[in-house]
Amino acid sequence: MPGKAGFYRTTARLLGAIDRRGLVLRYRYGDRRLLEECVLPALDADPAVADVLLVGCAWYTRHYPALLPSAAVITMEIDPAKAVFGGAHHIVADMAHVDAHIAPASLDAVICNGVLGWGLDHPAAIEAAFTGASRCLRPGGLFLLGWNDIAPRNACPPDTIAALDGLATADIPGLRTHSVVAQARNRHCYQAWRNRCRPE
């Protein structure tokens, strides 16, 4: 752990120096471009969005809070060594315990990208994570999921997750569709839901 943490700290310092020169190094895959160039800007342009949770941190997500300048952004990552890639308000925790760290009905959006099937794998943990995220959303709040519909990452696809049944399908910000395959090579999909405005 100390070795990995030191490596990440050094990486973060080097990337920060590059960022300050105006050159932000990014993953250039289609799924990340769609998120960074379309989805996050559309979310930021929504006047109803004031509080956002981004789940999952890595070197290529470090600039995501800056893509949401109109919102108060919280980042969450289970690996404490990756905290250097989180935002100013960062939580080190498993998403399965999200509602132990964030108040109910306090978020306008939760973005969970590259987490399902990449550490959040056990069905019980997935249900706990998505149920907790739903509880943290205000009425009408958005839950955006990015996941790979390819083995072994798709062992628990969204249509098998009971926690999502309580949400209403919605359009992805910036797109007129609930679901899109953003990267054919690894079947990276985005899907969106909203917290129901009134209990049914």
Side-chain angles (χ1 to χ4, degrees):
M1 176 63 172
K4 182 170 70 169
F7 173 74
Y8 286 153
R9 282 195 300 271
T10 300
T11 301
R13 283 196 300 270
L14 290 172
L15 290 171
I18 294 170
D19 292 349
R20 286 188 293 276
R21 291 178 176 266
L23 178 63
V24 179
L25 297 181
R26 306 176 181 186
Y27 261 153
R28 299 312 302 167
Y29 296 125
D31 54 330
R32 291 287 166 181
R33 287 202 310 271
L34 181 66
L35 183 67
E36 296 174 15
E37 298 171 9
C38 177
V39 178
L40 294 182
L43 191 65
D44 190 62
D46 185 343
V49 176
D51 298 282
V52 178
L53 173 66
L54 302 176
V55 184
C57 296
W59 71 265
Y60 47 84
T61 68
R62 70 196 182 284
H63 62 291
Y64 284 10
L67 298 177
L68 296 163
S70 301
V73 177
I74 303 168
T75 54
M76 173 177 279
E77 166 61 44
I78 190 172
D79 185 349
K82 292 182 179 177
V84 293
F85 303 123
H89 185 176
H90 181 75
I91 299 169
V92 177
D94 187 328
M95 190 186 178
H97 308 297
V98 62
D99 53 354
H101 299 274
I102 297 176
S106 64
L107 298 172
D108 300 301
V110 174
I111 300 173
C112 176
N113 187 36
V115 177
L116 178 65
W118 293 89
L120 185 63
D121 303 316
H122 193 276
I126 294 167
E127 292 290 352
F130 290 8
T131 297
S134 299
R135 288 179 184 146
C136 294
L137 286 172
R138 294 184 177 114
L142 177 80
F143 182 74
L144 179 70
L145 178 66
W147 64 290
N148 295 93
D149 189 11
I150 190 169
R153 309 300 177 187
N154 62 352
C156 196
D159 61 3
T160 68
I161 301 171
L164 295 175
D165 294 341
L167 302 177
T169 58
D171 283 350
I172 299 163
L175 303 174
R176 294 183 177 178
T177 182
H178 157 68
S179 180
V180 66
V181 177
Q183 178 78 7
R185 179 181 55 83
N186 60 3
R187 295 285 302 169
H188 192 85
C189 308
Y190 291 115
Q191 290 179 270
W193 295 262
R194 287 196 180 272
N195 196 9
R196 298 182 191 276
C197 293
R198 292 180 296 277
E200 293 187 341

